[in-house]
């Protein structure tokens, strides 16, 4: 490609409000992060070609991540360039500021996240835990998770 072909692409600007430009940046950033997770996503799909792709790409992960890093960098550079109220340096600064905020608040959330994860493990393995405590064939909890998720409605018991 010549400079004549590339110049119109780099000179293009979207004519939209600043608020929408922020939403576009958030969506594009989430898309770029999702593209890094593509092998994991494809491995969990029920579609056979997607699982075969995941198996094939898992043998070439360094090359995949190298390619995806370049692709995402180009993708985000073009999106930020097309937005008239942002520069790539401002975008990187905003990403670093967001990452700093996340790290600063992560310790505040750690105890809550640990309690939620522990509760989930207890609910998921309550039968095994009761068996391990020697409480087999006795009902400690007379409700299932689906009863709790339905706000204790009795619609499943109606004929």
């Amino acid at each position: 490609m010549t400079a004549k072909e590339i110049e119109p692409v780099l000179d293009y600007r979207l004519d939209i409000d600043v608020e929408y430009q922020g939403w576009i940046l958030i969506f594009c950033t989430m898309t770029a992060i999702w593209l890094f997770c593509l092998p994991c996503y494809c491995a969990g799909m029920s579609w056979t070609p997607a699982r075969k792709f995941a198996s094939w790409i898992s043998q070439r992960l360094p090359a995949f991540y190298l390619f995806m890093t370049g692709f995402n960098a180009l993708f985000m550079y073009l999106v930020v360039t097309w937005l008239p109220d942002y520069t790539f340096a401002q975008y990187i600064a905003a990403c670093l500021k967001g990452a700093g905020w996340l790290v600063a608040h992560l310790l505040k959330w750690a105890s809550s996240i640990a309690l939620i994860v522990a509760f989930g493990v207890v609910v998921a393995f309550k039968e095994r835990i009761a068996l391990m405590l020697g409480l087999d064939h006795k009902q400690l909890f007379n409700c299932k998770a689906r009863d709790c998720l339905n706000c204790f409605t009795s619609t499943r018991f109606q004929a």
Side-chain angles (χ1 to χ4, degrees):
M1 295 183 84
T2 65
K4 274 187 166 181
E5 295 169 340
I6 295 174
E7 190 173 324
V9 173
L10 294 177
D11 289 339
Y12 178 76
R13 296 292 180 267
L14 289 174
D15 186 25
I16 56 175
D17 292 336
V18 178
E19 178 184 351
Y20 297 125
Q21 291 179 34
W23 284 109
I24 289 170
L25 275 179
I26 291 170
F27 177 75
C28 290
T29 302
M30 297 305 284
T31 301
I33 292 169
W34 179 80
L35 286 173
F36 274 116
C37 302
L38 195 60
C40 299
Y41 178 75
C42 289
M45 293 179 72
S46 60
W47 194 41
T48 306
R51 287 195 318 270
K52 286 184 180 180
F53 170 75
S55 174
W56 180 80
I57 208 72
S58 68
Q59 297 170 357
R60 298 156 182 85
L61 277 180
F64 170 78
Y65 284 122
L66 185 67
F67 171 77
M68 201 50 66
T69 300
F71 178 81
N72 282 339
L74 177 66
F75 170 64
M76 290 307 299
Y77 176 76
L78 286 176
V79 169
V80 172
T81 301
W82 292 337
L83 299 175
D85 294 323
Y86 288 94
T87 64
F88 199 68
Q90 289 173 329
Y91 170 71
I92 295 297
C95 286
L96 290 176
K97 183 179 176 184
W101 181 88
L102 182 69
V103 168
H105 288 80
L106 197 59
L107 289 177
K108 294 178 186 177
W109 302 332
S111 60
S112 299
I113 291 171
L115 287 174
I116 292 169
V117 168
F119 177 76
V121 168
V122 167
V123 168
F125 296 109
K126 68 181 178 184
E127 289 88 10
R128 294 241 183 217
I129 293 171
L131 187 65
M132 193 171 57
L133 293 173
L135 300 172
D136 53 350
H137 304 299
K138 295 179 185 173
Q139 277 192 321
L140 248 140
F141 302 106
N142 196 14
C143 70
K144 296 284 184 192
R146 70 179 182 183
D147 292 333
C148 298
L149 296 174
N150 288 330
C151 298
F152 298 98
T153 60
S154 60
T155 55
R156 78 178 184 134
F157 298 112
Q158 293 175 354

